[in-house]
Amino acid sequence: MRPRLSLFSASVLTVVLAYLFIQVVIPYASMWIADRPSPVTVPAALTVIYMLLVFIGLYIYITISEENVREFLQPILEFLRGGETGVRAGLRLGLLALVPLLVGWITYDRLAPKVQSLTGIRIQHPTIPGQYEKLINPYRNPTDDLVKQFQQQEGLDGIGLEEARKRLVGTALAEGRALYQKNCRVCHGSKADGSGPMAVGFRLRPANFRDPGTIATVVEAYAFWRISEGGRGLPNESSPWDSAMPRWKEELTEAEIWKIILAEYELADVEPRKPEKLE
Amino acid sequence: MPYKAFLVSLILVSLTLSLEGRAGELDAVFGPTAPDELPSKKLTPTPEVIEAGKKIYEKRCLPCHGLNGAGEGPAADTMNPRPRDFTRGLFKLKSTQNGELPTDEDLFRTVSRGIPGSGMPSWKRLLSEEERLQVIAYIKTFSDRFKDGAAPKPIPVGKEPSRTPELIKMGKELFEGKAQCLLCHGKAAMGNGAIAEAIVDVWGSPLYPRNLTKSWLYKGGNEVKDIFLRISGGIEGTPMPAYLDKLTEEERWAIAHYVKSLQEPAPSGSRVVIESRPVSGEIPLDPNAPTWQEGEAVEVLMSGQVHVAPRNQDPTVDLVLVKSAYNEKEIGFWLEWDDRTKNVTHQDSERTQKMEAADFAATYPVLYPPSVRLRGLRDAVALQFPVKLPQGPEKPHFFLGDTGKPVNLWHWKADLQKVEEQNAKGYKTPPVLQPPDSQQATGQGVFEDGVWRVVLKRPLKTEDVANDIQFVPGQLIPVVVHVWDGANGETGLRRTISSWYFVTLKTNVAAWVYLFTVFAVALTAGFEVWLIRRVKAKPESQLEKIR
């Protein structure tokens, strides 16, 4: 018969390799793929889930046939029986003594007073409050009324409606860009990448708008709500007490906020989510 | 086969995870860490190139540097130092001699890396090499100085000598002696020299000499060669002089090596729990007492208060070290931070009174421009705790709490050398001073060579439970640090703040823990013995059969 790894050794090897894969390969691969300065460790909770998957997989494989189970158990039974001499007998004893000690250590580690774990789950995008839900950005596709009003204000009667609409959007965008840099830059960064000069000091980092998981996944009304009400306006599951995001309705007008939103998406090179059709 | 299917799914999940990592990508925490980069090519400034550069400029640079490149963009007033005025053709970071223009490589490096400690961001990730070269071609059109096209005179750079103790010693002697660096940068090189406070740049804004110990705040790179170039060419537009003609090349390398040897690594900010040590005997008020030499300090990262007006967009304090100790009666906190000047007098005015609460009428920066500082203000520090110990994660807001969720402040003021206990419910009204019989916190501060060390302490429990935090061992107690640098015009809401950190009173291990541990060991050993006996009781043949 071709010599091969016993099922027991193969199982142990799989577990060790899987663990190394999670602790070493994934962090370095993530570093390489995401172009990070240092390896990205897999969170402890995920490690547990991965290892659980490994164990379930092994369990299914081992219990697939009676024969497999026997093959797997045999080295364990032999070990328990003993009967070796010399060094091997010593090793056996050592291993047998190690198990209760390990259990003791784990028990102590669990019971001894320790700093509580701080990791909580934070919901980045809670449900938008009803009164904000249906708002739309007046400057994205300005209505004829708004354009006419703009024409009147600026004395632009000579040009066509479409040309005036374009100019209105252009003016709003320019104003929005300036307002963004004046008010939001310190935290969200002049490049809208969440790395403004103050970002480092806030443990809940200012949102990175270039990240497809932030403003690109929400409708403009949502951004309007977040900007108006700030961190303090969040529900408890989103830890309002940790958010440095100001309540801009105290300092900016609604029109200014809509203009900033226009500029914010443009600066971050992302599009807002389209609102669902309203019946 | 489930085994294979499982492996496949493991790999898929891992890949998703790594991609997720890319989505959350942020710039390096402390300024640009991008390695030095030179452009791989030169770009001839054809009209097309300049036109392309103009487009990029108008979207990315205009808000700060302005339509005409005069440093007059709409956001310019919110920062100090102000965005560079390109029309003057004056640049800080270059490899050329004082009075010369920078090379294209110098500009490329600056635009790629950004300027740490200023508003100028790093453009390496956002703009391609081509785009960076285009925008550089465009900004050169703002100044006539670039027109004649003559190559600027470089600073001669020989071979960098390797670091030796003798060279560093020579550098130190020069730094403190002949070169007079200490006049501005101070003996400890913390940017706190004798004339530091009086320095103004040619654009009229107040400016501090660099704190050379903070490796993460160097504008032009913190390597020996970068420092050598800055010493040789000076920093134009600022009083930082050029030493090319005043010191030999060897002397300049020696100083550069000495300066490099002073640098400390950037704080990681990874620890958020301050463990308060149980001590027997007094909690000393003297920050230099032996009790405070022990234990490791937690690095608390600070930000300018930019949550509400009046904001602080050019803070000087970015890090506070915190330790804590307690006995059966009291708890003490030891805090240390860098500050260039000791400010122990204070003048209140209508203006400072107004800055105690949010000033929405004066949308930043109209009334509080960072380039104009109020004078005659004190240094101060405050610790903030929730009034009620939170059950679960729910806390008051980290910046002064909210209505309904008040916070308790211990505010130490350098002019009084005294702690005032206050309560705050958000930023709309100033914090309220507690009545005299509730004032139990004490504090003492010592200023030495650019560093404040302050101890604050209070009884663990007080009578005024409605307004004071009560300390309970084993619990996580949220804490925020606030700091004011008087010389930087900081008072009221113009201050630096941290996020929520935590303090916990460490306790000793109880006896029952040991008891349970012994019990667990005995139980496992017993099970093992039982198992072995059972296996041994089975005849050998049964094992054979399995084989």
Side-chain angles (χ1 to χ4, degrees):
Chain A
M1 202 172 104
R2 192 156 54 91
R4 68 175 191 112
L5 223 51
S6 78
L7 185 54
F8 180 73
S9 319
S11 308
V12 173
L13 198 68
T14 308
V15 171
V16 172
L17 283 181
Y19 188 73
L20 285 179
F21 185 79
I22 296 165
Q23 295 296 314
V24 182
V25 180
I26 297 183
Y28 278 92
S30 312
M31 175 174 84
W32 179 67
I33 293 174
D35 198 13
R36 294 266 186 123
S38 58
V40 186
T41 39
V42 179
L46 256 180
T47 308
V48 170
I49 293 175
Y50 284 0
M51 290 311 291
L52 214 67
L53 284 174
V54 173
F55 287 126
I56 292 171
L58 279 175
Y59 179 81
I60 293 172
Y61 182 70
I62 291 165
T63 53
I64 239 169
S65 72
E66 190 74 2
E67 205 170 316
N68 269 4
V69 176
R70 277 204 215 113
E71 190 188 339
F72 179 77
L73 284 179
Q74 186 214 333
I76 303 175
L77 291 175
E78 267 180 10
F79 171 78
L80 287 173
R81 263 187 103 74
E84 298 97 338
T85 50
V87 183
R88 299 196 63 171
L91 266 175
R92 173 172 176 271
L93 262 178
L95 214 60
L96 282 175
L98 208 65
V99 175
L101 289 181
L102 206 67
V103 173
W105 181 64
I106 293 171
T107 315
Y108 177 81
D109 194 54
R110 283 283 153 88
L111 294 179
K114 248 200 327 239
V115 174
Q116 292 146 261
S117 160
L118 290 166
T119 44
I121 293 170
R122 180 176 183 274
I123 312 273
Q124 172 66 31
H125 290 138
T127 320
I128 178 171
Q131 77 263 35
Y132 285 97
E133 209 179 331
K134 304 229 160 74
L135 302 178
I136 49 165
N137 192 341
Y139 300 104
R140 180 129 338 243
N141 294 304
T143 56
D144 291 356
D145 284 351
L146 198 67
V147 178
K148 281 183 191 140
Q149 205 184 322
F150 172 73
Q151 264 177 316
Q152 246 164 30
Q153 261 171 20
E154 306 287 314
L156 292 173
D157 296 328
I159 61 172
L161 197 66
E162 285 321 303
E163 179 58 25
R165 197 189 310 273
K166 247 176 66 203
R167 284 208 203 168
L168 171 56
V169 175
T171 319
L173 186 63
E175 271 174 55
R177 280 181 186 170
L179 285 164
Y180 175 90
Q181 299 291 354
K182 250 192 227 172
N183 296 299
C184 322
R185 173 192 68 88
V186 263
C187 293
H188 295 287
S190 51
K191 298 173 290 178
D193 60 354
S195 65
M198 299 304 159
V200 174
F202 296 118
R203 290 213 0 258
L204 174 57
R205 289 281 302 235
N208 169 5
F209 300 139
R210 310 189 72 83
D211 175 342
T214 63
I215 55 169
T217 63
V218 299
V219 294
E220 285 183 288
Y222 194 97
F224 184 84
W225 164 52
R226 288 307 324 279
I227 298 166
S228 303
E229 300 284 349
R232 290 177 197 251
L234 286 168
N236 273 358
E237 67 266 26
S238 305
S239 63
W241 43 82
D242 286 331
S243 173
M245 174 68 186
R247 232 176 222 270
W248 287 104
K249 68 173 185 191
E250 290 167 338
E251 293 177 63
L252 300 172
T253 64
E254 291 193 3
E256 284 174 325
I257 294 177
W258 285 121
K259 289 173 187 166
I260 291 178
I261 293 174
L262 210 59
E264 183 187 5
Y265 280 98
E266 190 240 14
L267 201 63
D269 301 313
V270 296
E271 293 288 325
R273 215 184 83 198
K274 297 265 175 307
E276 266 110 64
K277 284 254 157 26
L278 305 171
E279 272 92 279
Chain B
M1 205 179 230
Y3 189 61
K4 267 197 185 151
F6 157 70
L7 261 184
V8 171
S9 57
L10 184 75
I11 290 165
L12 284 179
V13 172
S14 325
L15 277 177
T16 336
L17 187 88
S18 359
L19 290 175
E20 183 80 25
R22 159 155 244 165
E25 180 61 33
L26 292 167
D27 255 51
V29 172
F30 281 98
T33 51
D36 280 352
E37 248 200 31
L38 287 178
S40 61
K41 59 176 172 193
K42 276 208 173 288
L43 215 58
T44 326
T46 58
E48 294 79 54
V49 165
I50 290 178
E51 191 50 36
K54 182 169 190 249
K55 281 229 175 66
I56 300 164
Y57 182 89
E58 282 174 0
K59 178 163 179 191
R60 304 291 179 187
C61 325
L62 181 147
C64 297
H65 292 286
L67 186 62
N68 305 312
E72 293 282 307
D77 288 342
T78 65
M79 51 195 106
N80 180 37
R82 290 176 66 88
R84 188 73 67 258
D85 168 1
F86 296 131
T87 61
R88 289 181 72 156
L90 216 57
F91 291 86
K92 286 186 178 177
L93 310 170
K94 48 206 180 67
S95 60
T96 54
Q97 298 186 13
N98 198 271
E100 297 282 327
L101 287 168
T103 64
D104 282 3
E105 288 75 30
D106 291 337
L107 290 174
F108 184 82
R109 192 168 178 249
T110 307
V111 173
S112 302
R113 296 170 42 108
I115 304 183
S118 86
M120 172 71 185
S122 135
W123 294 99
K124 187 177 183 301
R125 280 183 199 281
L126 200 59
L127 300 179
S128 67
E129 179 186 290
E130 182 95 12
E131 290 172 319
R132 276 176 271 161
L133 289 169
Q134 288 165 345
V135 77
I136 287 167
Y138 181 65
I139 59 175
K140 284 169 73 179
T141 62
F142 288 127
S143 167
D144 290 338
R145 288 192 66 198
F146 283 104
K147 290 256 160 72
D148 73 359
K153 251 198 282 173
I155 293 165
V157 184
K159 193 178 168 315
E160 180 183 328
S162 46
R163 174 179 174 153
T164 59
E166 293 77 44
L167 201 62
I168 289 181
K169 187 161 162 280
M170 175 179 166
K172 182 174 164 65
E173 277 160 12
L174 287 162
F175 188 93
E176 292 169 3
K178 187 166 132 197
Q180 288 291 308
C181 312
L182 89 173
L183 202 63
C184 296
H185 293 282
K187 196 165 152 79
M190 316 238 310
N192 60 335
I195 64 164
E197 223 187 321
I199 288 177
V200 178
D201 67 18
V202 298
W203 299 279
S205 301
L207 169 83
Y208 293 115
R210 188 81 58 260
N211 179 340
L212 299 172
T213 65
K214 297 194 170 183
S215 63
W216 60 97
L217 285 183
Y218 280 62
K219 290 185 173 174
N222 60 15
E223 293 304 327
V224 177
K225 189 178 162 207
D226 301 322
I227 303 167
F228 175 84
L229 288 176
R230 293 298 94 71
I231 298 172
S232 305
I235 300 183
E236 266 172 69
T238 83
M240 167 79 194
Y243 287 87
L244 185 63
D245 303 327
K246 297 184 202 134
L247 299 172
T248 66
E249 173 156 353
E250 191 199 4
E251 287 174 326
R252 280 176 277 130
W253 280 120
I255 302 182
H257 270 288
Y258 170 63
V259 169
K260 176 81 194 169
S261 75
L262 300 171
Q263 290 174 3
E264 282 159 24
S268 71
S270 54
R271 283 174 59 202
V272 297
V273 178
I274 302 154
E275 293 188 356
S276 191
R277 283 185 304 127
V279 294
S280 48
E282 282 293 295
I283 303 288
L285 261 183
D286 176 9
N288 292 328
T291 306
W292 301 117
Q293 315 290 320
E294 286 169 46
E296 212 189 326
V298 168
E299 296 171 330
V300 172
L301 302 183
M302 306 293 290
S303 267
Q305 189 289 106
V306 284
H307 190 62
V308 290
R311 300 192 158 83
N312 182 13
Q313 303 226 24
D314 58 336
T316 48
V317 178
D318 59 355
L319 178 68
V320 178
L321 301 180
V322 183
K323 294 181 188 179
S324 176
Y326 76 102
N327 60 20
E328 60 286 351
K329 292 201 301 285
E330 293 181 310
I331 181 162
F333 292 88
W334 175 94
L335 304 110
E336 176 186 293
W337 71 97
D338 295 347
D339 186 338
R340 288 181 172 84
T341 42
K342 178 181 183 180
N343 304 107
V344 289
T345 55
H346 188 74
Q347 256 177 330
D348 253 328
S349 61
E350 208 178 311
R351 179 79 174 279
T352 61
Q353 288 301 322
K354 228 175 160 192
M355 288 168 80
E356 288 295 320
D359 190 355
F360 297 127
T363 302
Y364 186 87
V366 182
L367 251 186
Y368 308 98
S371 50
V372 180
R373 293 187 187 128
L374 278 182
R375 293 281 166 204
L377 303 176
R378 64 164 82 90
D379 292 332
V381 67
L383 291 177
Q384 170 193 307
F385 304 94
V387 167
K388 296 240 155 27
L389 252 189
Q391 307 297 322
E394 196 173 336
K395 298 186 263 297
H397 193 270
F398 78 93
F399 184 54
L400 296 176
D402 319 87
T403 39
K405 280 195 227 156
V407 293
N408 181 201
L409 293 155
W410 306 355
H411 192 159
W412 176 85
K413 299 179 171 176
D415 54 334
L416 309 173
Q417 280 281 356
K418 219 178 81 181
V419 180
E420 290 177 352
E421 284 189 59
Q422 308 166 333
N423 287 99
K425 295 178 183 168
Y427 49 70
K428 288 192 183 158
T429 49
V432 177
L433 195 66
Q434 292 186 357
D437 57 348
S438 212
Q439 298 286 346
Q440 284 174 290
T442 49
Q444 187 177 316
V446 178
F447 186 86
E448 273 163 324
D449 213 3
V451 179
W452 268 116
R453 288 187 195 88
V454 177
V455 168
L456 301 168
K457 67 172 189 173
R458 205 208 66 183
L460 288 169
K461 297 253 157 66
T462 67
E463 315 248 285
D464 193 2
V465 290
N467 295 311
D468 286 344
I469 173 82
Q470 308 295 321
F471 290 91
V472 184
Q475 285 256 22
L476 278 182
I477 298 155
V479 59
V480 171
V481 181
H482 304 238
V483 176
W484 291 261
D485 175 4
N488 195 35
E490 293 177 16
T491 187
L493 295 191
R494 186 172 147 85
R495 64 175 83 176
T496 46
I497 48 166
S498 74
S499 302
W500 278 122
Y501 280 69
F502 297 91
V503 56
T504 184
L505 280 57
K506 263 185 19 181
T507 46
N508 295 323
V509 181
W512 61 267
V513 173
Y514 294 113
L515 206 75
F516 270 98
T517 307
V518 171
F519 190 60
V521 172
L523 208 70
T524 325
F527 178 69
E528 247 179 32
V529 171
W530 174 79
L531 208 66
I532 292 173
R533 286 185 146 200
R534 267 212 55 176
V535 174
K536 281 202 171 151
K538 289 216 169 141
E540 183 85 19
S541 59
Q542 218 160 326
L543 276 181
E544 282 303 318
K545 210 167 81 197
I546 293 172
R547 206 172 278 152

